[in-house]
């Protein structure tokens, strides 16, 4: 059975100290809220990873992830971080394919496929993001764009390896803009993604894969979004920087 997940994406925010204090607040507030089929993940900047893992402690339901990794195992890549280095902090997740990485760091589907392999061979779980721009939605290209992102970025995996993948549908026009996909718009895409998962792998993989919605998700809209049949939680940017808002969103999880 697939998990219901809320993942926070802190992006390039918070000093080391601010990150630790926000995380402590979140852990204290959510610890009694998390049930068996639920997972909470905080994806922080690299500088916080190890300390957050320690603060979370063993057996805690809050897991830690990074927001990117390099595609090579190691070597002369000044300023980069490998999947193995992330794993060595105790973090278990990595976000790949976020639209900000695609747009500002020119990450192509081809490069992302290599990062996916690097993350999996290190043993990380992947939160893989897909989503269309405003122009692509307005010209009715969104399904084609999302299908290509999946096909070229992650569908080379076997169904066994795909069990380490969480998908996130994040319409680019909704990220950080205050515009949210309507529950119907989001559900349409989530159902479509599940349909192509069934074609690519099989119905079991489609049923077992968690598909999160991301893009201006907040305590006011989370309930109607997460209430949709194929929406299994959210990837939260701005609202993950306020403990109260993030925890309100966690409380919406089924
Ligand atoms: P947002 O970001 O919630 O601030 O729109 C979501 C994301 O980029 O993951």
């Amino acid at each position: 059975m697939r998990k219901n997940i809320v993942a926070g994406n802190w992006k390039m925010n918070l000093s080391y100290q601010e990150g630790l204090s926000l995380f402590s607040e979140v852990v204290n507030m959510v610890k009694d809220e998390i049930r068996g089929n639920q997972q909470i993940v905080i994806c922080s900047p690299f500088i916080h990873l190890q300390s957050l893992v320690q603060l979370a402690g063993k057996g805690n339901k809050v897991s830690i992830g990074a927001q990117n990794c390099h595609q090579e195992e190691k070597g002369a890549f000044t300023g980069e971080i490998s999947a193995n280095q992330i794993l060595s902090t105790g973090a278990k997740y990595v976000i790949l394919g976020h639209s900000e990485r695609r747009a500002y760091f020119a990450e192509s589907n081809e490069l992302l496929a290599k990062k996916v392999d690097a993350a999996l061979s290190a043993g990380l779980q992947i939160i893989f993001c897909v989503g269309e721009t405003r122009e692509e939605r307005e010209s009715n290209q969104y399904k084609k764009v999302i299908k290509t992102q999946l096909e070229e970025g992650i569908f080379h995996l076997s169904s066994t390896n795909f069990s380490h993948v969480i998908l996130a549908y994040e319409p680019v026009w909704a990220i950080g803009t205050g515009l949210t996909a309507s529950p119907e718009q989001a559900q349409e895409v989530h159902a479509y993604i599940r349909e192509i998962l069934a074609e690519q792998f099989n119905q079991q993989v489609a049923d077992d894969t968690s598909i999160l919605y991301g893009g201006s998700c907040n305590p006011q809209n989370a309930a109607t979004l997460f209430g949709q049949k194929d929406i299994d939680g959210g990837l939260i940017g701005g609202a993950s920087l306020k403990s109260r808002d993030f925890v309100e969103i966690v409380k919406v999880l089924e």
Side-chain angles (χ1 to χ4, degrees):
M1 195 168 75
R2 61 184 183 255
K3 283 196 163 174
N4 293 321
I5 300 166
V6 170
N9 174 10
W10 287 356
K11 307 193 181 182
M12 196 176 72
N13 292 298
L14 307 171
S15 69
Y16 177 74
Q17 290 77 10
E18 287 165 346
L20 264 54
S21 77
L22 172 62
F23 185 77
S24 304
E25 280 172 33
V26 168
V27 168
N28 281 333
M29 289 160 83
V30 297
K31 62 178 187 288
D32 300 325
E33 302 290 339
I34 309 169
R35 292 186 292 274
N37 192 37
Q38 299 175 343
Q39 183 68 55
I40 310 301
V41 186
I42 295 290
C43 296
S44 73
F46 295 124
I47 59 159
H48 300 102
L49 292 175
Q50 189 184 359
S51 300
L52 300 192
V53 168
Q54 277 163 5
L55 277 177
K58 280 213 175 65
N60 195 299
K61 289 262 184 59
V62 183
S63 300
I64 312 302
Q67 302 167 15
N68 177 35
C69 70
H70 194 266
Q71 65 275 21
E72 298 295 336
E73 216 175 292
K74 60 179 172 185
F77 301 102
T78 302
E80 290 294 320
I81 308 264
S82 75
N84 273 312
Q85 289 174 318
I86 293 168
L87 191 83
S88 73
T89 67
K92 299 220 158 47
Y93 290 81
V94 64
I95 298 175
L96 291 176
H98 191 283
S99 64
E100 287 152 16
R101 300 290 319 171
R102 293 176 187 266
Y104 308 147
F105 301 93
E107 294 198 357
S108 62
N109 292 331
E110 192 189 355
L111 174 66
L112 289 168
K114 293 185 184 148
K115 293 193 175 204
V116 162
D117 290 340
L120 273 185
S121 36
L124 292 171
Q125 311 277 319
I126 298 170
I127 301 175
F128 189 81
C129 306
V130 296
E132 80 285 0
T133 61
R134 190 160 57 94
E135 295 72 39
E136 289 161 347
R137 171 148 291 261
E138 283 169 357
S139 59
N140 211 21
Q141 298 288 302
Y142 56 101
K143 286 189 177 170
K144 189 163 154 274
V145 168
I146 290 160
K147 191 169 188 206
T148 305
Q149 288 171 338
L150 290 169
E151 282 174 349
E152 296 181 1
I154 204 154
F155 274 2
H156 61 287
L157 297 183
S158 66
S159 52
T160 312
N161 281 339
F162 203 81
S163 65
H164 301 289
V165 175
I166 296 161
L167 294 177
Y169 168 55
E170 299 207 306
V172 179
W173 48 272
I175 295 177
T177 57
L179 293 173
T180 322
S182 69
E184 295 74 25
Q185 283 174 322
Q187 167 58 27
E188 185 203 18
V189 173
H190 283 235
Y192 173 66
I193 292 174
R194 218 177 287 290
E195 198 181 296
I196 37 185
L197 288 177
E199 277 168 26
Q200 172 69 21
F201 301 106
N202 53 53
Q203 193 58 47
Q204 193 64 44
V205 171
D207 291 342
D208 288 349
T209 303
S210 300
I211 310 175
L212 315 183
Y213 168 79
S216 300
C217 199
N218 60 40
Q220 287 72 46
N221 60 30
T224 41
L225 285 161
F226 299 178
Q228 303 299 309
K229 182 168 154 283
D230 289 293
I231 302 184
D232 309 309
L235 180 54
I236 319 298
S240 73
L241 298 172
K242 295 193 195 113
S243 55
R244 204 169 288 273
D245 284 0
F246 186 70
V247 172
E248 284 306 311
I249 296 172
V250 168
K251 285 185 186 166
V252 168
L253 273 188
E254 297 253 311

